[in-house]
Amino acid sequence: MILFLVVVLVMTSVFALVYGVASLAPARSRLISKRLGELPSGAARNYSSVQRRQRQEKRERLESLMQAFGERVTARRADWSHVQEKLLQAGYRRSGAVAVYFGVRLVAMVLMGSGAVFGTVTLGVAPAAGVLAGAVGASFGWLAPAYQIKRRIRKRQLSLQRALPDTLDLLVVCVEAGLGLNQALVRVSEEIEHVSEIMSEELVLANLELRAGTPRDEAL
């Protein structure tokens, strides 16, 4: 019994000593704790931004390579306005978009054609069937980017059609509130972004064209 009381007394004394030392020890300031807590999230943000920058650099290098291939095709003809118009409708507005587009088609044609031939040779198919498969693969590779452009155009047109009623309502409200048409376009482009980023982008471009002197009917 006495031994048990001694053990309890010793444990109580140790606990009181540890608690007293912990309470007397200087605590870290709230600012330091907050900054230390922000370090993981800050590192994650920095890592994410580095990843985005690396992906952007890879994309730019790939686009430059595709443009170099595409310029061999576009150099044979001076007028590619009909292709450029389709690319504009699809949302590709950079100056070298036509060359990049044909570069992608050319590379896809070569890769899919050679891949089809290699696949048939590996399977031990007759040479004539391999040539036919290569021709089909090359044709598919050439036409697939054009199909993707048409699909993207339809998707953008559908998004614009869905956002058009809300856009017109907001424009009427802004004009009735006393804003000019140019100012109304700027305000609506900011508000409609939550509904359709494509419509917001088109309104911003229309406003920039109006500022550059483009007639209003053409810009709209």
Side-chain angles (χ1 to χ4, degrees):
M1 184 67 179
I2 297 176
L3 180 61
F4 176 77
L5 292 176
V6 171
V7 171
V8 171
L9 182 62
V10 172
M11 293 179 63
T12 305
S13 301
V14 172
F15 177 79
L17 179 62
V18 172
Y19 180 79
V21 172
S23 61
L24 293 176
R28 293 183 301 181
S29 65
R30 293 183 178 180
L31 180 61
I32 295 177
S33 300
K34 182 178 179 182
R35 294 296 298 276
L36 289 175
E38 291 176 352
L39 282 178
S41 60
R45 286 195 298 269
N46 292 334
Y47 181 71
S48 178
S49 63
V50 169
Q51 282 187 322
R52 287 196 300 269
R53 194 179 305 113
Q54 290 177 348
R55 288 196 297 267
Q56 181 66 23
E57 291 176 354
K58 291 180 180 178
R59 180 179 178 181
E60 290 177 354
R61 287 197 295 266
L62 182 60
E63 288 181 355
S64 300
L65 182 61
M66 294 298 104
Q67 184 174 353
F69 285 127
E71 287 176 351
R72 299 178 180 274
V73 180
T74 56
R76 301 176 183 178
R77 183 174 176 179
D79 186 17
W80 292 103
S81 58
H82 63 290
V83 178
Q84 188 174 10
E85 182 179 357
K86 291 183 178 180
L87 294 176
L88 288 173
Q89 293 174 357
Y92 300 108
R93 294 185 171 87
R94 57 172 294 176
S95 58
V98 176
V100 173
Y101 169 66
F102 280 105
V104 171
R105 297 186 73 177
L106 182 62
V107 172
M109 180 184 68
V110 173
L111 290 179
M112 298 195 72
S114 59
V117 172
F118 179 77
T120 53
V121 171
T122 304
L123 295 175
V125 183
V131 173
L132 179 61
V136 172
S139 300
F140 182 80
W142 178 259
L143 296 176
Y147 172 77
Q148 178 62 22
I149 292 297
K150 292 181 179 179
R151 184 172 176 270
R152 184 178 173 89
I153 291 174
R154 288 196 298 267
K155 183 178 179 180
R156 286 175 61 86
Q157 289 176 344
L158 182 60
S159 176
L160 291 173
Q161 290 174 1
R162 289 176 176 175
L164 185 59
D166 294 333
T167 303
L168 294 178
D169 290 341
L170 289 174
L171 280 174
V172 171
V173 171
C174 291
V175 172
E176 289 180 349
L179 294 178
L181 182 58
N182 293 356
Q183 295 175 338
L185 287 174
V186 174
R187 182 62 183 271
V188 173
S189 66
E190 296 173 355
E191 297 296 334
I192 206 66
E193 185 177 5
H194 305 287
V195 178
S196 173
E197 294 182 358
I198 298 175
M199 177 63 78
S200 175
E201 179 184 349
E202 293 295 335
L203 291 177
V204 170
L205 290 174
N207 186 53
L208 292 176
E209 290 178 357
L210 289 174
R211 292 182 180 180
T214 304
R216 182 168 296 173
D217 55 345
E218 293 182 10
L220 294 176

